[in-house]
Amino acid sequence: MKAARSSGLQWATAGVASLALLWLVFSLWMAGQPLVAVGIGALGGSAIYIYGTAQSVAWKYLFPGVAGMLVFVAFPLVYTVQIGFTNYSSKNLLDEDRARQYLLEQSVADEAHARAFTLHAEGSALRLKLMPEEGGSGAVLVSPPLKLAAGAPAAPVAMQPLGTLALGDALSLRDVIQQRAALQALQLQLPPDEGGKLIRYAGLREFGPIDPLWKAVDDGALQQLASGTVYAPNRDTGFFESAQGERLQPGFKVSIGLANYTRMLLDADFRSPFVSIFIWTVMFAGLSVLFSTALGMALAVLLEWQSLKYRTLYRTLLFLPYAVPGFISILVFKGLFNQNFGEINAILDAVLGIRPAWFADPLLAKTMILIVNTWLGYPYIMILCTGLIKAIPADLYEASAIAGAKPLTNFFKITMPLIARPLTPLLIGAFAFNFNNFVLISLLTDGRPDFLNTKLPAGTTDILVSYTYRIAFTDSGQNFGLAAAISTLIFVLVAIMALVQLKATQQKDSRS
Amino acid sequence: MPIVTGKSQRWRVWAAHAALWVLLALTLFPLLAVISISLRPGNFATGSLIPTTISFEHWQLALGIPYTQPDGTVVQPPFPVLLWLWNSIKIATISSLLIVAISTTAAYAFARLKFARKQALLNSMLLLQMFPVAVALVAIYAIFEGLGQQIPWLGIETHAGLIVAYLGGVAMHIWTIKGYFESIPVEIEENAKVDGATHWQAFRLVLLPMAVPILMVVFVLAFIGTIIEYPVASILLREEPNLTLAVGSKFYLYEQKYLWGDFAAAAVLSGLPITLVFLLAQKWIVSGLTSGGVKG
């Protein structure tokens, strides 16, 4: 009984969910988002299949996690690669249909036929009074009472002759400004004997006919009504172009093949800062790992020395940089290193009489980044090494003590060789992390100081990720396509590092 | 560990202590300096590191209370720090709860249920997680831009969108919870199933109550992870009242408007609780680190 009822309920739920999904997919498809529609359809379809049928118990538990990863980790990767082959940028933001639609909606107010208007309160509603055209002969018109506070009606409002209707005082300009949003959406229809035209808001005092600038003609082209020039869509460049090659803004999104990649490799203006940034990225990641490892490992070894007191206290305090949220400690360093107001320069000035320009000089800026990143990174290595050293059997050290070995000999002959192998994959991981350490660069220097004489702004302390961020989201025209192409290159590098790390991990597992 | 000890032993201990003290001074300097700066009057005063006069003006402003200067002018708080803190906590709490829910069920499937290509799926999820989000920002931005045109409450500038964006980062958490589930003997659930419990009941009523400690750990880890997240939040949120702390804090240190003292107070106010939570959770974070994860 109960089972039958619950299965009936299940079917009903599945049916309702399927209908809702179909409706959503359909409306997305109609809204010109076929890719999203297919994606949502596939995802929702599998959800209904998994939860609606008794096929696989395991997938009922797996689905949310796997779907989350597919949508927000895997899909962005694939999508980035795809964007890398397009000219997607702030100039070519929309797809062709929407760019055309945007241009077709462009219009110009016909000043010659504008009519002055005033607003008059009537209870809680407003009436709009239209004067005849300047020098024209028509009647004074008035609208029915409108509740503009609740937004403009969607349909055109029919105007009638004022006749003998008595209106209150006109609203002041300030009160009219408050109604502006509703007025801009308002369409007024003139009476048939005045042409029956639609007129729209054309300024704080006027309504007037609004004429479109463009007309759609054959083959998706657009004709400028004033001049008659035809602009045809060029699907290689992503712009509407006239026969003379003039381009209309905005352009649209098209695939441009490998153009972003050839630009990266062949355009000399772009290549030289790009190569410097690449070299600095590798140096930054490598030196960060080197310095943090040197310091972290030394501390781990020292804090295992049993003659030393207060080791737990030292370890806790030395761990602190890792516990403070990165965005706070990085900004604290940014302030401390400030050339004029920073405490570090105040101390250096008092002791040595120098005030280094940490943020203006490329070499000093790089030094500062490495200092900060060593501070941020050594506790992690210290913790890792401590764990690994604790796993070394004590009898090895006892044997070396009998042989009369000195501490340094112990370190290089026992500790180092034994922790090197398990540490390697973790250090590769740390290298990969720093290779993409966007937060540090973005918050500390933001890539500055910039290279001089580059077309696209590029910073001497930029690493690849922060450089793509700059290309995509700050100045220089938001070139998403180019940024995505560089990101694709980073994916390849990350994938290589991941594989190397996997190899190193497996080596560790097979030997231990 | 036994090391050959000689006459120089005592000197070595002293040298080690001295070296550690120097290093501690360097390590703790920024943290102590920022506390002192937050108590120092004015935004530009330099000179003494230990403030000669203590002023709570920056703390007042950080807490959103206007401050009246001695000459009578009233300084308004430059940024809504408490609102940002609230945004951060709200986003981190909701997304961490969802992350825990999603990863727990997935971890259950990985630990207890049989299905095809289990190992391959787990490996590819862990591999995918190695690609940092910061690299796919363009695509994430484009996705939420497109999503917002259809579903406005999930678009750019919405907290719901940001929360949803964080739901992809579950692989490490699935791994952690799976390890814990595997340490619980499977017989207890099997007994429940013999008594007529369904999969879901065995999971919900038998396994979950035993796994509460690890769920709390994962919640704390996810919470810290999302509260300090900067790249995705910085592209999805742009308007001042919408920001999270991680995105908002940088506005204090613009060249044109340099609010060093105000920043210090806001930094201590918001950084201290997160640091304390991190130190409390340190034990589990460290065990996760040494088992192969990388801070990310």
Side-chain angles (χ1 to χ4, degrees):
Chain A
M1 253 300 269
K2 195 181 167 200
R5 205 172 52 205
S6 82
S7 108
L9 191 73
Q10 226 170 27
W11 280 111
T13 322
V16 170
S18 315
L19 281 180
L21 179 70
L22 275 179
W23 176 79
L24 185 67
V25 169
F26 179 72
S27 62
L28 280 171
W29 187 283
M30 292 319 280
Q33 303 263 3
L35 264 181
V36 185
V38 170
I40 294 206
L43 215 61
S46 21
I48 291 170
Y49 174 74
I50 287 168
Y51 292 103
T53 65
Q55 285 300 318
S56 164
V57 179
W59 276 96
K60 286 186 182 158
Y61 291 92
L62 282 174
F63 184 74
V66 174
M69 287 212 69
L70 279 181
V71 175
F72 297 110
V73 184
F75 177 61
L77 296 184
V78 179
Y79 195 29
T80 306
V81 176
Q82 194 259 327
I83 292 175
F85 292 108
T86 68
N87 63 348
Y88 189 26
S89 64
S90 57
K91 277 186 194 153
N92 303 66
L93 201 59
L94 308 170
D95 54 29
E96 190 186 326
D97 288 334
R98 282 178 56 210
R100 184 180 299 114
Q101 203 185 344
Y102 172 84
L103 286 166
L104 286 173
E105 280 168 9
Q106 296 303 299
S107 52
V108 63
D110 183 355
E111 293 287 340
H113 295 90
R115 291 159 179 256
F117 79 94
T118 45
L119 288 177
H120 304 265
E122 187 174 288
S124 64
L126 290 166
R127 275 185 191 264
L128 190 146
K129 187 171 86 171
L130 272 184
M131 303 308 288
E133 281 171 32
E134 213 160 307
S137 57
V140 176
L141 302 173
V142 74
S143 74
L146 298 167
K147 297 249 183 212
L148 286 184
V157 174
M159 302 296 288
Q160 305 126 15
L162 178 61
T164 56
L165 191 69
L167 293 173
D169 285 341
L171 260 60
S172 69
L173 198 58
R174 174 190 286 187
D175 295 331
V176 174
I177 290 174
Q178 288 188 344
Q179 308 292 340
R180 189 163 57 179
L183 287 172
Q184 278 169 340
L186 193 64
Q187 302 181 64
L188 304 179
Q189 183 156 35
L190 299 178
D193 56 319
E194 299 209 18
K197 266 183 111 176
L198 282 182
I199 62 171
R200 286 165 176 272
Y201 178 82
L204 278 172
R205 297 169 196 280
E206 286 179 333
F207 266 66
I210 307 279
D211 296 330
L213 281 173
W214 301 95
K215 194 176 84 175
V217 288
D218 291 343
D219 300 331
L222 293 169
Q223 186 176 29
Q224 192 166 30
L225 286 171
S227 66
T229 321
V230 173
Y231 289 80
N234 181 339
R235 283 162 193 132
D236 292 325
T237 58
F239 286 97
F240 289 98
E241 291 175 353
S242 69
Q244 284 77 42
E246 281 174 86
R247 290 174 168 187
L248 292 185
Q249 295 292 347
F252 49 86
K253 213 169 17 170
V254 288
S255 167
I256 51 167
L258 291 169
N260 287 323
Y261 293 93
T262 46
R263 187 171 176 195
M264 234 187 303
L265 298 172
L266 300 177
D267 182 348
D269 286 332
F270 184 74
R271 193 177 50 201
S272 74
F274 181 74
V275 169
S276 324
I277 287 174
F278 184 81
I279 294 172
W280 163 239
T281 309
V282 176
M283 266 178 55
F284 159 73
L287 290 176
S288 297
V289 174
L290 183 71
F291 293 152
S292 336
T293 309
L295 188 57
M297 199 188 277
L299 282 172
V301 172
L302 190 60
L303 290 176
E304 282 302 308
W305 187 18
Q306 268 148 17
S307 317
L308 208 62
K309 279 183 189 165
Y310 314 117
R311 284 179 299 155
T312 323
L313 178 69
Y314 282 134
R315 205 173 279 146
T316 313
L317 288 177
L318 287 169
F319 180 74
L320 267 181
Y322 197 69
V324 178
F327 72 91
I328 287 181
S329 44
I330 293 167
L331 287 173
V332 166
F333 272 108
K334 184 179 180 175
L336 289 175
F337 272 107
N338 187 292
Q339 195 187 349
N340 300 317
F341 314 121
E343 275 62 24
I344 289 178
N345 270 7
I347 294 174
L348 287 179
D349 197 20
V351 179
L352 302 170
I354 50 169
R355 282 189 166 273
W358 295 106
F359 288 91
D361 180 84
L363 191 66
L364 282 174
K366 288 176 179 178
T367 314
M368 170 183 72
I369 287 175
L370 286 174
I371 292 173
V372 174
N373 207 22
T374 306
W375 187 90
L376 288 167
Y378 82 83
Y380 170 64
I381 309 278
M382 181 178 85
I383 297 287
L384 289 182
C385 289
T386 306
L388 294 171
I389 291 172
K390 279 198 199 300
I392 298 177
D395 48 4
L396 288 181
Y397 293 103
E398 280 161 23
S400 86
I402 293 168
K406 289 272 188 313
L408 272 184
T409 323
N410 271 343
F411 177 72
F412 283 110
K413 297 282 177 188
I414 303 175
T415 318
M416 197 55 171
L418 278 172
I419 63 171
R421 189 161 290 139
L423 197 60
T424 312
L426 299 168
L427 292 186
I428 297 171
F431 180 87
F433 171 76
N434 280 312
F435 193 87
N436 293 308
N437 199 339
F438 169 73
V439 180
L440 174 70
I441 302 294
S442 169
L443 288 182
L444 192 59
T445 64
D446 209 6
R448 271 169 268 277
D450 282 353
F451 286 108
L452 304 170
N453 313 323
T454 52
K455 266 195 220 154
L456 282 174
T460 46
T461 60
D462 259 326
I463 58 174
L464 284 176
V465 234
S466 65
Y467 186 45
T468 60
Y469 183 87
R470 269 176 101 163
I471 293 177
F473 296 108
T474 53
D475 35 43
S476 73
Q478 301 208 327
N479 195 336
F480 297 120
L482 183 61
I486 302 178
S487 297
T488 308
L489 184 75
I490 303 178
F491 291 158
V492 176
L493 297 172
V494 172
I496 294 173
M497 285 185 263
L499 283 180
V500 173
Q501 186 179 10
L502 203 69
K503 261 268 159 48
T505 316
Q506 278 165 353
Q507 218 164 23
K508 170 189 114 188
D509 289 346
S510 64
R511 305 249 174 129
S512 61
Chain B
M1 81 191 73
I3 292 179
V4 178
T5 53
K7 285 173 194 164
S8 58
Q9 172 81 344
R10 203 145 55 110
W11 291 108
R12 282 215 205 115
V13 173
W14 278 110
H17 276 293
L20 281 169
W21 273 100
V22 171
L23 201 72
L24 267 185
L26 288 174
T27 297
L28 298 181
F29 165 70
L31 304 176
L32 297 177
V34 79
I35 295 174
S36 130
I37 289 157
S38 76
L39 294 171
R40 198 172 63 184
N43 273 316
F44 297 108
T46 47
S48 67
L49 267 180
I50 301 149
T52 41
T53 49
I54 292 216
S55 147
F56 287 101
E57 55 178 276
H58 304 308
W59 279 92
Q60 270 194 15
L61 293 177
L63 291 168
I65 309 163
Y67 169 74
T68 315
Q69 282 178 332
D71 60 5
T73 49
V74 177
V75 185
Q76 291 298 324
F79 297 108
V81 183
L82 289 181
L83 181 65
W84 288 347
L85 186 64
W86 165 241
N87 286 344
S88 282
I89 291 176
K90 186 177 72 179
I91 291 170
T93 309
I94 299 176
S95 55
S96 310
L97 283 175
L98 290 173
I99 285 174
V100 168
I102 291 175
S103 5
T104 312
T105 51
Y108 176 72
F110 278 117
R112 289 287 195 262
L113 302 173
K114 283 203 187 84
F115 56 95
R117 288 182 289 281
K118 185 198 267 190
Q119 198 56 42
L121 184 67
L122 189 61
N123 282 345
S124 42
M125 283 175 94
L126 287 171
L127 193 72
L128 262 184
Q129 200 85 93
M130 291 184 75
F131 290 88
V133 211
V135 185
L137 287 179
V138 172
I140 291 177
Y141 179 81
I143 289 171
F144 280 93
E145 237 252 346
L147 206 57
Q149 279 160 10
Q150 303 304 321
I151 316 170
W153 56 270
L154 271 184
I156 306 277
E157 284 297 349
T158 62
H159 290 164
L162 187 60
I163 290 169
V164 168
Y166 287 147
L167 295 187
V170 289
M172 275 318 292
H173 301 312
I174 292 178
W175 181 255
T176 313
I177 303 177
K178 171 184 170 272
Y180 191 85
F181 280 169
E182 280 168 350
S183 72
I184 298 175
V186 70
E187 285 75 20
I188 308 177
E189 287 154 74
E190 279 170 357
N191 287 344
K193 279 184 201 152
V194 169
D195 291 342
T198 61
H199 267 293
W200 176 251
Q201 284 168 330
F203 166 67
R204 164 80 188 74
L205 300 173
V206 181
L207 188 60
L208 269 197
M210 288 191 284
V212 168
I214 196 71
L215 299 188
M216 285 171 68
V217 169
V218 168
F219 177 81
V220 170
L221 293 184
F223 187 84
I224 295 174
T226 40
I227 218 165
I228 65 173
E229 203 281 341
Y230 170 75
V232 177
S234 80
I235 57 160
L236 290 189
L237 306 177
R238 294 269 163 111
E239 307 256 331
E240 191 178 285
N242 258 342
L243 299 184
T244 62
L245 264 179
V247 184
S249 306
K250 67 174 175 193
F251 292 119
Y252 278 103
L253 298 182
Y254 271 159
E255 286 297 331
Q256 299 85 348
K257 200 177 166 213
Y258 192 76
L259 302 170
W260 189 211
D262 294 342
F263 166 76
V268 177
L269 177 73
S270 53
L272 209 58
I274 307 175
T275 308
L276 288 179
V277 172
F278 196 96
L279 286 177
L280 290 176
Q282 180 190 351
K283 201 170 81 189
W284 302 294
I285 293 169
V286 168
S287 72
L289 288 180
T290 40
S291 70
V294 177
K295 186 195 187 189

